[in-house]
Amino acid sequence: MDDDTIAFGEEDETSQNSNKLKHPYVTMFHLAFRISAIIAYMLCGWFSNSFITSFVVVVLLLSMDFWTVKNITGRLMVGLRWWNYVDDNGKSHWVFESRKGVQQNRINTTEARIFWLALILCPLLWSVFFVVALFSLRFKWLLLVCIAIVLNGANLYGYVKCKMGNDKNISAATSDFLRKQVIQNVASMMTRSPPTGNSNEPTNVI
């Protein structure tokens, strides 16, 4: 069984440094590539009329962001890692890992908050770009936006699985959430007071 207790003296260090970035350069690169890709996509028409040039620049930034988040920032900032390997039989295996015990308790809360906010907000922003490009009939940009959604979504899906565990844990968490919602709705219906009649209505009593 893993020991989740923090060694004597380390709890003070953890509480004091919880608001300070433990890996400032890693945090910077976690944000730099994905923000640069978004800015390049939004402003590429101002600096270049070539779609190929804009496409290559944005894809390069997205690729660097995908590699950095998958292999470096996730491991250092939140203690999570996902990867893939092929066995001798040619079968592909996906592995989702997370730190446990004392190592998990040492994760910086500020870095973890920055990591998850960037990981969630950027795919949502690319989804907005997808809707805008679709309704503005800019079909050639849809391919670029789809690449961004796939790369950002892959990291989001991988780290959510690392955080939640395997499929059984995810389904169990979903079932618990739905069960709580049903219980709350039933309880509110049972405790709701019946509607009272209007006392000002005339009666048949003379």
Side-chain angles (χ1 to χ4, degrees):
M1 181 179 296
D2 294 328
D3 185 11
D4 294 335
T5 59
I6 301 177
F8 180 77
E10 293 183 356
E11 63 276 5
D12 294 334
E13 180 181 357
T14 303
S15 60
Q16 291 176 1
N17 297 332
S18 59
N19 294 326
K20 296 181 180 179
L21 296 180
K22 187 177 180 181
H23 308 94
Y25 294 105
V26 174
T27 305
M28 180 187 67
F29 281 106
H30 177 72
L31 299 173
F33 289 128
R34 53 184 49 215
I35 293 177
S36 299
I38 293 174
I39 294 176
Y41 175 80
M42 296 176 63
L43 303 180
C44 59
W46 292 8
F47 298 99
S48 175
N49 294 326
S50 174
F51 171 76
I52 301 299
T53 302
S54 302
F55 186 91
V56 171
V57 170
V58 176
V59 169
L60 285 177
L61 291 172
L62 290 171
S63 301
M64 289 187 290
D65 169 71
F66 176 81
W67 186 90
T68 303
V69 174
K70 178 181 179 296
N71 297 296
I72 299 177
T73 62
R75 177 171 54 87
L76 296 178
M77 296 177 67
V78 291
L80 304 175
R81 184 177 67 168
W82 66 275
W83 50 286
N84 172 268
Y85 72 95
V86 179
D87 58 16
D88 296 335
N89 297 324
K91 185 177 180 181
S92 179
H93 298 272
W94 294 92
V95 181
F96 303 92
E97 299 176 333
S98 62
R99 293 179 184 173
K100 296 180 180 179
V102 177
Q103 293 181 345
Q104 185 69 21
N105 294 331
R106 293 177 180 175
I107 292 176
N108 185 275
T109 55
T110 303
E111 288 184 353
R113 190 178 298 111
I114 294 173
F115 177 86
W116 287 109
L117 283 176
L119 198 69
I120 295 172
L121 292 180
C122 287
L124 293 178
L125 188 57
W126 282 110
S127 300
V128 173
F129 291 155
F130 177 85
V131 175
V132 172
L134 180 63
F135 283 96
S136 60
L137 303 180
R138 300 171 59 189
F139 296 110
K140 64 180 182 179
W141 293 98
L142 284 178
L143 176 61
L144 180 58
V145 176
C146 289
I147 293 174
I149 293 175
V150 169
L151 293 178
N152 282 262
N155 269 326
L156 177 60
Y157 175 77
Y159 283 115
V160 167
K161 287 206 67 172
C162 293
K163 186 69 174 179
M164 299 292 294
N166 53 22
D167 294 334
K168 294 181 180 179
N169 293 335
I170 296 176
S171 60
T174 305
S175 301
D176 292 339
F177 175 77
L178 295 176
R179 190 182 302 110
K180 290 179 181 179
Q181 293 298 320
V182 172
I183 293 175
Q184 290 178 359
N185 292 333
V186 173
S188 62
M189 292 176 61
M190 296 294 293
T191 57
R192 186 181 302 168
S193 59
T196 58
N198 191 356
S199 59
N200 295 327
E201 293 181 356
T203 61
N204 295 328
V205 180
I206 299 176

